[in-house]
Amino acid sequence: MFTYLGRRLLTMVLTLVVISVLVFIIIQLPPGDYLSSYISELQSQGEQVAQEKIDFLRRQYGLDLPLYQQYLVWVFGLLQGDFGYSFAHGQPVTDVVGDRLLLTVVLNFSTILFIYVVSFPIGVYSATRQYSWGDYGLTFLGLIGLATPNFLLALILMYLANVWFGTSIGTLIDPEYINEPWSFAKAMSVLSHLWIPVIVIGTSGTAAMIRRLRANLLDELQKQYVVTGRAKGLPEGRLLLKYPLRMALNPFISDIGNLLPSVVSGSVIVSAVMSLQTTGPILLSALQSQDFYLAGSFLMFLAVLTVLGMFLSDVLLAMLDPRIRLSGGQSR
Amino acid sequence: MSNGAPPLPHFVDPRPFDPDETEQLTAEQERYSLASQWQLMWWRFRQHRVAVLCGAVLLALYGMILISEILAPYALESRNTGFIYAPPQAIRLFHDGQFIGPFVYGLEYSVDLETMARRYEVDRTDVQRIRFFCLGDPYAFWGLVPGRFHLMCPAEGGTLFLLGTDRLGHDMLSRIIYGARISLTVGLIGIAISFVLGITIGGLAGYFGGWVDGIVQRIIEVLRSLPELPLWMALSAALPISWSPVLIYFGITVILGLLDWPGLARAVRSKLLALREEDYCTAARLMGASPPRIIGRHLLPNFMSHLIASATLSIPSMILGETALSFLGLGLRPPITSWGVLLIEAQNIEAVVLYPWLMLPMVPVIVTVLAFNFLGDGLRDAADPYSTTGH
């Protein structure tokens, strides 16, 4: 187990290093040194930029250094929680971000949880009552859920909420709690708003998960040992719970590798549409204002979130399934 | 043996003996066993009614983009400044209990002074008959041939906004029809890029194995563990602002294709790893065939149908990607018109509450995505014509 853990940890760190290089390349993509383009943009608007500020920024990002040193400056800055300097706000991003990082994690985590909690019973029901009306209905609903893009779903829900209740659902915290320290009331406020984006982001993932669980369970149910068990007189419920369900659950956890990137993707665009207080809108505005250092930092944050989540799911899977930890994860 | 007793009565069939008699196939079986792989797949696919229907819908949609200019009642850029945010006009057949063919009632404009919302009243006396096969707004067919012929046009001096108009008085229906041209082709070009990349890279990894495989595997793992959309967003935001709209369009499709290949490459690799051990592959190698020939001529046709099916399933994600990027203002920009660009108008939720038809461009998006999904499902089932569940 520990060798497996060690190896998995090593690959994760390597993956993160590769990703950080990729993200840094993206930061460097726009032509020209981005600070000079920023300055020229400011000057074209007739604003004067103080020389000290320029010098400060140059030093901060090490823009005079060779590329690989710039990369190191950026990465070590990230490691210390320094996300860069926001031009739009004119202050270090850390001051702008506030609770956004935490809320991003909470949002993604709850979405994954939602997908599991909803798809599990539905998947089991669909598989054990194959070709019933319930199965057809749920399959159809699932297909619709799979095909409706989540940001359009967000738009529709916002429209309906506006028409029916006359309120805006585009928030994650009540305004009075923003920039307040965390308290029980604040947590409750987040929880009461969380469910709408969670449903919006989770719908397609849930639909996909139901399909997969149903297919897996159907495969298991046709196997010989199930027939034997039934022939020997095991009660249906016990028969289902004891073996096939456990086998069918395996992909439930291993699939998080596909699920997590899509959930994170979805949460970015849904947050941007509903202007939730997560990192999504900041990433978008940074990209729109061509502030690539800031955008790169957030991109990296999202990637770390995904890779870390996948690492945790792999560890969980190895704990559940001895075949994986013994063969060194080759079976994935 | 014989001792003079008469032989026992028995029956002898007078027909000549044919040793293959029981092996004879009926005409139907003959046809089946002689059919080519693609024929079998087609028969199999035909049984999947929903998939066939979706295929027909998609064919119709793609056929439409060939003649968008003719189908659209208005030209792409024609603005009806007197009819901003006009509501959809219903097509009617009867006026005063009398049948007079398809027509719409005219609109009367007023401003609600309390909410400052634009109000349009249907004027029930103003009958505007729709003209068919008529001359209307001038356009340049595919940007080349000037013309004025339309399938249908508003009445002389009248209006025909079947899906309403937007902030600038553009007819929504016309713009959705024009937008299809961009939105639907983005997926095709993107998948072509991803297909070539996936087959080449996956083919190399699967055929050579060893360290090539190792490196490709690592790259695939890294790419798959990245959230797709933020990466798309960052890359398309990095496209230079000075580029022309056409260049931006190609840039976006390349970006969509560049990040999509890992799935295909993975499938190609795992199939090749198994197939390269086959005898016919060894035979080809011994006869001196080059790796590209072996991969392309002998190995790929084995699972080409699977690849096409899975490619069909990943077109919708590209169409959605383009829609999402344009919607966020990072993808295509006006004057290029795609469904995502049209949806930019729907970002302003206050406007949408007053003028809900701004959300209509999402209907073709959802229809296309659903159709591609069903078609892909059907193709995937049909891709394996000898599987046991059929016939």
Side-chain angles (χ1 to χ4, degrees), chain A residues 99-144:
Chain A
D99 296 325
R100 281 170 191 265
L101 294 185
L102 181 66
L103 282 175
T104 309
V105 177
V106 168
L107 179 63
N108 285 303
F109 182 74
S110 342
T111 308
I112 298 273
L113 214 63
F114 168 81
I115 291 176
Y116 281 163
V117 169
V118 174
S119 61
F120 181 70
I122 296 183
V124 172
Y125 174 86
S126 274
T128 48
R129 287 173 185 66
Q130 197 189 2
Y131 302 137
S132 67
W133 281 107
D135 179 28
Y136 278 130
L138 288 169
T139 307
F140 181 73
L141 269 184
L143 272 170
I144 298 282

Side-chain angles (χ1 to χ4, degrees), chain B residues 340-373:
Chain B
V341 172
L342 293 180
L343 279 171
I344 295 177
E345 297 281 325
Q347 258 179 353
N348 180 355
I349 203 74
E350 282 80 29
V352 172
V353 170
L354 290 176
Y355 319 111
W357 53 90
L358 290 179
M359 287 204 296
L360 280 175
M362 69 171 71
V363 175
V365 176
I366 295 176
V367 168
T368 314
V369 169
L370 258 182
F372 265 116
N373 272 323

Side-chain angles (χ1 to χ4, degrees), chain A residues 51 179 249 298:
Chain A
Q51 191 59 39
N179 293 332
L249 267 186
F298 280 109

